């Protein structure tokens, strides 16, 4: 299945960018704003002054500290805790004092636990919030709806429970929504759609316990990458498709979706679709031949009938197996005339 760039690849790229910023800051050899420095030392104290914060000493400029990036005004704008299996504790509420923070990223910190702290709601300039591969638990807090400038919300691979809060409807600039690999329940609310900004690049909700139908409002959203696999979703997912859509990759597999595929028009730029293990009926539209960049098309384990379009005969047979009455290459069963 074609997937969007991994969180790890994104973070490696981000680290390279941040490294340049840190080097530039170090050359200036300036201290950060006193309130930022006091906040960072409070964060260090809340974590029990662990070895991760060895460079965070009052006698050195805090723009030179590990995990920190400052802007030209010596305000802390990026805080990145990255790949430390030994860092323990909870995300401290004291982080709310970094009033100029734009990016907060916690990645692969498996010993970090507890809830998402309420202090994050005070980071009003935050554009990217990413907490991934941790043991953070509890619900996705409704107070995240206060982060009205948020562009990227990534809370993947944690132990989050409960429903997706409706308060996120106010986040009109969201481009990336990644809640994969948690224990979320309930339905997918139609909250990720704003008529003033109807483009969302990434909607990634796979490997949860979500149920119910796909919001019909999603027909007006320009998704590019969708992964809803391994949930318990039902009903019609045809709202994601359309000849003029910019959809590149969609994974709907391992749900209980049921709709007629015959009437679906596939985006001409689509590269991958996995709709296996559902209850999709009808046939495969011949229009799929116009999707010239298609690399994967898996509709196995459904209720489809009719001939596999010749344009798909090049794919492996497993992509079409276990349907009601599909026939033709690459399947071994020829279609009856």
């Amino acid at each position: 299945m074609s997937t969007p760039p991994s969180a790890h690849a994104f973070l490696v790229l981000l680290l390279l960018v941040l490294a340049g910023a840190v080097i530039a800051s170090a050359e200036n050899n300036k201290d950060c704003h006193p309130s930022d420095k006091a906040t960072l030392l409070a964060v260090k104290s809340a974590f029990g002054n662990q070895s991760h914060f060895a460079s965070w000493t009052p006698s050195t400029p805090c723009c030179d500290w590990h995990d920190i990036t400052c802007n030209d005004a010596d305000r802390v704008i990026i805080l990145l805790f990255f790949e430390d299996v030994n860092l323990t504790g909870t995300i401290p509420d004291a982080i709310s004092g970094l009033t100029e923070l734009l990016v907060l990223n916690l990645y692969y910190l498996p010993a970090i636990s507890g809830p998402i702290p309420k202090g994050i709601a005070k980071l009003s300039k935050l554009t990217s919030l990413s907490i991934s591969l941790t043991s953070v638990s509890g619900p996705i807090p409704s107070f995240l709806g206060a982060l009205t400038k948020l562009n990227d919300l990534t809370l993947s691979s944690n132990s989050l429970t409960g429903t997706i809060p409706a308060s996120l409807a106010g986040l009109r600039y969201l481009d990336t929504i990644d809640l994969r690999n948690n224990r979320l329940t309930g339905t997918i609310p139609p909250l990720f759609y704003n008529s003033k900004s109807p483009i969302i690049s990434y909607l990634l909700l796979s490997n949860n316990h979500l149920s119910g139908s796909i919001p019909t409002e999603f027909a007006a959203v320009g998704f590019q990458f969708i992964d809803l696999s391994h949930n318990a979703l039902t009903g019609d997912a045809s709202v994601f498709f359309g000849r003029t859509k910019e959809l590149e990759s969609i994974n709907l597999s391992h749900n209980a979706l049921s709709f007629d595929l015959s009437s679906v028009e596939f985006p001409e730029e689509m590269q991958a679709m996995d709709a296996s293990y559902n209850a999709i009926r009808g046939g495969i539209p011949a229009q799929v031949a116009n999707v010239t960049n298609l690399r994967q098309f898996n509709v196995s384990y459904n209720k489809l009938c009719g001939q596999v379009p010749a344009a798909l005969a090049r794919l492996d047979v497993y992509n079409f197996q276990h349907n009601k009455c599909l026939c033709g290459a690459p399947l071994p069963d020829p279609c009856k005339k």
Side-chain angles (χ1 to χ4, degrees):
M1 180 67 194
S2 176
T3 57
S6 68
H8 185 266
F10 167 77
L11 283 165
V12 169
L13 178 61
L14 180 61
L15 281 172
L16 293 175
V17 174
L18 298 185
V22 170
I23 291 171
S25 177
E27 290 174 349
N28 292 331
N29 198 33
K30 293 181 180 180
D31 210 350
C32 64
H33 192 277
S35 66
D36 288 350
K37 190 166 191 176
T39 294
L40 291 172
L41 290 173
V43 169
K44 175 183 178 180
S45 177
F47 274 117
N49 299 309
Q50 296 176 57
S51 59
H52 181 92
F53 303 96
S55 67
W56 292 26
T57 59
S59 60
T60 59
C62 70
C63 289
D64 295 349
W65 294 353
H66 182 61
D67 299 333
I68 304 301
T69 299
C70 297
N71 61 13
D72 291 339
D74 300 315
R75 299 305 303 264
V76 175
I77 58 170
I78 298 176
L79 182 59
L80 171 65
F81 296 146
F82 184 75
E83 290 189 348
D84 189 340
V85 297
N86 298 312
L87 183 61
T88 61
T90 61
I91 304 172
D93 214 51
I95 209 165
S96 63
L98 297 174
T99 56
E100 299 297 313
L101 200 65
L102 302 179
V103 176
L104 176 60
N105 200 316
L106 291 84
Y107 179 77
Y108 192 56
L109 306 169
I112 295 296
S113 58
I116 297 173
K118 193 171 183 178
I120 286 180
K122 297 180 180 180
L123 303 176
S124 60
K125 297 186 178 181
L126 209 62
T127 61
S128 177
L129 173 61
S130 180
I131 302 172
S132 295
L133 291 165
T134 75
S135 295
V136 168
S137 59
I140 297 175
S142 60
F143 57 69
L144 294 184
L147 302 176
T148 56
K149 296 185 178 180
L150 208 59
N151 179 263
D152 168 21
L153 178 61
T154 299
L155 302 174
S156 60
S157 301
N158 298 299
S159 296
L160 297 171
T161 55
T163 60
I164 301 172
S167 63
L168 299 185
L171 302 181
R172 58 174 295 186
Y173 300 112
L174 270 183
D175 176 73
T176 296
I177 303 161
D178 186 355
L179 308 178
R180 291 174 292 178
N181 304 317
N182 282 289
R183 303 170 190 170
L184 300 176
T185 55
T187 61
I188 301 175
L191 51 84
F192 301 132
Y193 167 65
N194 187 299
S195 60
K196 296 180 180 179
S197 182
I199 297 176
I200 296 177
S201 293
Y202 300 94
L203 178 64
L204 310 175
L205 306 176
S206 60
N207 290 288
N208 280 287
H209 306 294
L210 299 172
S211 59
S213 59
I214 308 297
T216 56
E217 291 88 345
F218 282 0
V221 185
F223 295 107
Q224 291 181 288
F225 295 89
I226 298 171
D227 189 354
L228 306 181
S229 62
H230 294 274
N231 281 289
L233 299 170
T234 57
D236 190 354
S238 64
V239 295
F240 291 123
F241 298 93
R243 191 187 298 264
T244 61
K245 294 285 186 75
E246 297 183 5
L247 184 64
E248 295 183 30
S249 176
I250 183 168
N251 191 343
L252 303 171
S253 65
H254 295 271
N255 280 288
L257 297 167
S258 178
F259 60 97
D260 188 348
L261 192 65
S262 304
S263 59
V264 166
E265 287 191 316
F266 298 107
E268 295 184 358
E269 299 300 318
M270 192 171 72
Q271 299 176 22
M273 184 184 90
D274 189 346
S276 60
Y277 292 92
N278 281 287
I280 302 171
R281 61 189 184 279
I284 303 173
Q287 181 259 343
V288 73
N290 298 329
V291 188
T292 56
N293 293 324
L294 193 63
R295 299 194 306 268
Q296 182 182 1
F297 188 88
N298 190 343
V299 291
S300 60
Y301 292 90
N302 278 288
K303 299 180 179 180
L304 297 171
C305 282
Q307 184 168 0
V308 176
L312 301 179
R314 58 187 169 79
L315 299 178
D316 290 334
V317 66
Y318 75 83
N319 291 294
F320 308 99
Q321 289 178 329
H322 301 284
N323 274 283
K324 186 178 180 181
C325 47
L326 277 181
C327 59
L331 291 167
D333 302 322
C335 294
K336 297 179 181 180
K337 296 183 179 180

